[in-house]
Amino acid sequence: MKKFTLLTSRIVPFPMEDIDTDQIMPARFLKETKRKECAKNIFRDWRYEKDGSLKKNFILNNSVFSGKILLSGRNFGCGSSREHAVWGIYDYGFKVVISSFFADIFKENALNNGLLTIEVSESFLSKLFDTVEKNPHTNVQVNLIEQFVKILETGELEKFYIHPYKKNCFINGYDDIDFLVSLQKEIKFFEEKRLFFNFF
């Protein structure tokens, strides 16, 4: 997992609620085993016409919007659990998804795979949508250390919560295995100490 502490980026607004994992990554692409080839299939049925050409009215096909932050309506990632949905979003280039609510399984999958999910209030979410609608070049800063999202043009910000363990993993670039490996000295010390006391 790559380290993450601070990101400043434009945002791609996706003003829909209840975007489910079946739409993010259709089931027919779940046989894919390589994370780096998943981007081509995210939102596949919304992005492409049946002949394979791009749908002009889909947000990801609109060159006006770009960035590493995906902004979505409430209840993003609902539906069935599929890690491929996270792989696809990350592989596409998004490093953060902001919404007012995420489905639990999607959120866990995302955090385990280096995709930061940030829950903000409905009012701040509306403010973000309004701002990017008025100016698609709006930059937003995500500060994981201080745990806030800030609209740079206006200075408005909102704090967000992340579990301390997950925060530590993002800052250090750890997945769960990396975290255990980072404790190698402490584990060895504990084992030696335990053997010493068992000897007596």
Side-chain angles (χ1 to χ4, degrees):
M1 203 161 99
K2 290 185 178 177
K3 292 182 179 181
F4 184 107
T5 53
L6 185 71
L7 174 68
T8 300
S9 172
R10 290 169 58 184
I11 53 181
V12 178
F14 209 147
M16 286 180 63
E17 295 189 346
D18 305 317
I19 295 175
D20 64 64
T21 53
D22 295 336
Q23 297 305 326
I24 298 171
M25 184 62 70
R28 62 187 183 278
F29 302 115
L30 297 183
K31 292 178 183 174
E32 189 64 63
T33 57
K34 297 177 184 174
R35 296 179 189 195
K36 291 189 175 179
E37 295 178 8
C38 286
K40 63 188 177 194
N41 294 321
I42 62 164
F43 302 110
R44 181 77 187 196
D45 297 331
W46 290 352
R47 281 170 68 195
Y48 295 95
E49 302 286 358
K50 288 184 179 175
D51 64 4
S53 61
L54 295 174
K55 290 183 179 178
K56 292 179 181 175
N57 61 349
F58 185 63
I59 193 72
L60 295 187
N61 299 332
N62 186 340
S63 60
V64 171
F65 299 103
S66 65
K68 296 180 179 178
I69 301 172
L70 180 64
L71 182 67
S72 172
R74 182 174 177 76
N75 199 26
F76 187 83
C78 57
S80 59
S81 171
R82 52 185 69 175
E83 205 166 13
H84 290 66
V86 171
W87 293 356
I89 292 171
Y90 190 86
D91 188 38
Y92 188 83
F94 291 115
K95 303 303 174 219
V96 175
V97 183
I98 299 175
S99 176
S100 58
F101 182 80
F102 292 94
D104 285 343
I105 295 174
F106 177 85
K107 186 176 180 177
E108 282 303 309
N109 283 336
L111 294 174
N112 288 339
N113 283 281
L115 179 67
L116 183 61
T117 51
I118 298 177
E119 287 185 1
V120 296
S121 66
E122 289 289 347
S123 60
F124 193 71
L125 189 71
S126 295
K127 198 170 290 180
L128 287 168
F129 276 122
D130 290 345
T131 304
V132 75
E133 185 180 331
K134 289 175 188 167
N135 178 12
H137 297 278
T138 295
N139 275 298
V140 167
Q141 185 178 80
V142 174
N143 186 322
L144 180 59
I145 302 293
E146 301 295 328
Q147 295 180 218
F148 67 74
V149 177
K150 183 178 184 179
I151 303 169
L152 292 184
E153 282 80 353
T154 65
E156 295 169 282
L157 65 84
E158 184 165 290
K159 302 276 281 183
F160 65 87
Y161 173 79
I162 182 169
H163 190 282
Y165 169 70
K166 292 298 182 188
K167 181 178 179 179
N168 181 44
C169 286
F170 270 82
I171 290 171
N172 291 293
Y174 293 157
D175 59 22
D176 291 338
I177 301 300
D178 293 329
F179 176 74
L180 286 175
V181 171
S182 76
L183 298 176
Q184 207 167 13
K185 282 184 181 176
E186 287 86 345
I187 293 169
K188 190 175 179 183
F189 175 74
F190 175 80
E191 286 176 341
E192 288 172 354
K193 190 176 168 185
R194 203 176 81 177
L195 284 173
F196 176 77
F197 283 113
N198 285 344
F199 182 75
F200 293 101

